[in-house]
C-alpha cells in the first residue's frame, strides 16, 4: 500500500489510497494544482477555489490499457489523456479542469477497462477566510493569502520561541486551521530560591543572553562557575555553584615555641572528646618562644581569604637576653639578644673599675644562658 499525492500540503487526504497496479483493485485518484488553491472537506470532497487549474490523475498501468474518465457535470467537456512528462506518462491518466468554475462541481469517475472505478467529488466554491492582520513584531510571518487553501507560515527571531502553530491554512469552511501564533521571550528558570544562603547573586538576568553572576558570603569560596548564561533553549549554561567555608591549615608550632592564643571556632560541639581546631578566615594565632629564645618572624599570623596564613610561622632561636648593666657600669655591645658565643664586656664609670683578675668575659652559651653575670664595677677606694 502506498499513498500518492501531488500539489501542496493539506490536512490528510481521504482518497482511496490503494494504488492501481493490478487489474483487480479500483484505481487511485490523486490531484495536482498547478495554479490556484484547494482544500479537502471532511467528507473527502475536494473544495477548489474558482479560477484554479486542477489535474485529476487516475493511477493505472498504461500497458494494461486506457482507463476512462466520466463526470456528472454537464457544464463542459474536459481534456483527458496520458500525462506528457516522461516520468508520468506510463501511469497517470489525467483529466484537467482549467480555470475552475462553480459549474464544474460534480463527481469525476475513473474506470479501468475491466470495469473497476473510483470517484472524487469536486466542489468549486468561493470560500475566503478572514484576512490576517500583519504579524506584529517580533513575530515574522509569510502570508500567502486568505483564500481557501492558502497558508501562512510564522517564525520568531533569535531570543524568542514560537508559541502556537508555525503554519496555518485557510480551510474549506472559511476558518483558519489555527490562530496566529505568538513569540515569547526565551527565559531560563528563575534562580531565586537558592537553598544555599551563603550564595549571593551579584547580577541576574534570566532572559536569553542574560547571565547570573554569583559570589559567596565573606569567608567562603565559590565551587563551580562564577557565572552562567541563559541559552537559546531556555536552559542555563551550567549548574549552580556552591559555597564552602574557607579554612586555613593548622599552623605548625615552631620548635622551642608554642601557640599562645588563637581565636578559632570549633567545628565540633565543645563536648566532643577530640576537638579539631578550625581556622576560619580572620582567625589570629599568636606565638611565643620558650625562655632563652628569640622569636624571629611574625609573632601573630592571620588566616586570609585565600585560605593561607598571612605569614609563615616564626622560628625560635637560642639567644641570651640582655643581662642588664651593672651598677656604675655599662655593657658592650648593647643588644636585646646575644647569639651563642657572643661576649660582653663592661665599661665602668669614671672612678670605678672591674676586678683585674681573673679576666673572664661573660659568654653566651649554647643553652641561652650567660656563662657568668657581668662583672661588677668597684670604686678605686675599695680596690
Ligand atoms: C537581559 O539580557 C538581555 C540579553 O543580553 C538584554 O537584552 C536585556 O536588556 C537584559 N535585561 C535587563 C533587565 O538588563
Ligand atoms: C590572595 O591571592 C592572590 C593571588 O594569589 C593575591 O593577589 C592576593 O593578594 C591574596 N589575598 C590575600 C588576602 O592574601
Amino acid at each position: 500500500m502506498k499513498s500518492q499525492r501531488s500539489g501542496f500540503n493539506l490536512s490528510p487526504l481521504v482518497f482511496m489510497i490503494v494504488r492501481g497496479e493490478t487489474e483487480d483493485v479500483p484505481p487511485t485518484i490523486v490531484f495536482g494544482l498547478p495554479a490556484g488553491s484547494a482544500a479537502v472537506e471532511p467528507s473527502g470532497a475536494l473544495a477548489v477555489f474558482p479560477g484554479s487549474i486542477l489535474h485529476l490523475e487516475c493511477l493505472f498501468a498504461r500497458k494494461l490499457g486506457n482507463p476512462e474518465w466520466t463526470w456528472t457535470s454537464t457544464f463542459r467537456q474536459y481534456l483527458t489523456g496520458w500525462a506528457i512528462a516522461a516520468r508520468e506518462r506510463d501511469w497517470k491518466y489525467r483529466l484537467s479542469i482549467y480555470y475552475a468554475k462553480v459549474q464544474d462541481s460534480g463527481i469525476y469517475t475513473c474506470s479501468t477497462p475491466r470495469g473497476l472505478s473510483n470517484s472524487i467529488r469536486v466542489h468549486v466554491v468561493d470560500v475566503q477566510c478572514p484576512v490576517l492582520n500583519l504579524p506584529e513584531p517580533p513575530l515574522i510571518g509569510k502570508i500567502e493569502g486568505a483564500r481557501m487553501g492558502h497558508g501562512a507560515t510564522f517564525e520568531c527571531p533569535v531570543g524568542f520561541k514560537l508559541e502556537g502553530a508555525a503554519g496555518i491554512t485557510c480551510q474549506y469552511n472559511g476558518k483558519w486551521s489555527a490562530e496566529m501564533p505568538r513569540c515569547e521571550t526565551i527565559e531560563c528558570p528563575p534562580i531565586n530560591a537558592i537553598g544555599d544562603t551563603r550564595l549571593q547573586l551579584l547580577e541576574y538576568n534570566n532572559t536569553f543572553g542574560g547571565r547570573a553572576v554569583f559570589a559567596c558570603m565573606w569567608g567562603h569560596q565559590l565551587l563551580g562557575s562564577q557565572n552562567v548564561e541563559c541559552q537559546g533553549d531556555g536552559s542555563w549554561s551550567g549548574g549552580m555553584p556552591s559555597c564552602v567555608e574557607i579554612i586555613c591549615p593548622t599552623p605548625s608550632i615552631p620548635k622551642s615555641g608554642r601557640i599562645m592564643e588563637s581565636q578559632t571556632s570549633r567545628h565540633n560541639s565543645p563536648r566532643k572528646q577530640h576537638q579539631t581546631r578550625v581556622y576560619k578566615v580572620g582567625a589570629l594565632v599568636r606565638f611565643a618562644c620558650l625562655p632563652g629564645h628569640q622569636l624571629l618572624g611574625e609573632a601573630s599570623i592571620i588566616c586570609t581569604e585565600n585560605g593561607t596564613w598571612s605569614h609563615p610561622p616564626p622560628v625560635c632561636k637560642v639567644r641570651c637576653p640582655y643581662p642588664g648593666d651593672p651598677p656604675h657600669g655599662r655593657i658592650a655591645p648593647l643588644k636585646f639578644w646575644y647569639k651563642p658565643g657572643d661576649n660582653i664586656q663592661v665599661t665602668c664609670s669614671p672612678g670605678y673599675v672591674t676586678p683585674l683578675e681573673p679576666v673572664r668575659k661573660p659568654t653566651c652559651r649554647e643553652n641561652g644562658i650567660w656563662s657568668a653575670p657581668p662583672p661588677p664595677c668597684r670604686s678605686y677606694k675599695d680596690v
Side-chain angles (χ1 to χ4, degrees), residues 54-71:
L54 177 67
H55 290 325
L56 297 177
E57 319 273 18
C58 181
L59 305 187
F60 190 71
R62 189 171 187 168
K63 60 178 189 278
L64 301 177
N66 288 354
E68 188 189 4
W69 276 108
T70 54
W71 49 90

Side-chain angles (χ1 to χ4, degrees), residues 204-211:
Y204 177 64
N205 177 346
N206 74 330
T207 60
F208 171 68
R211 60 180 198 159

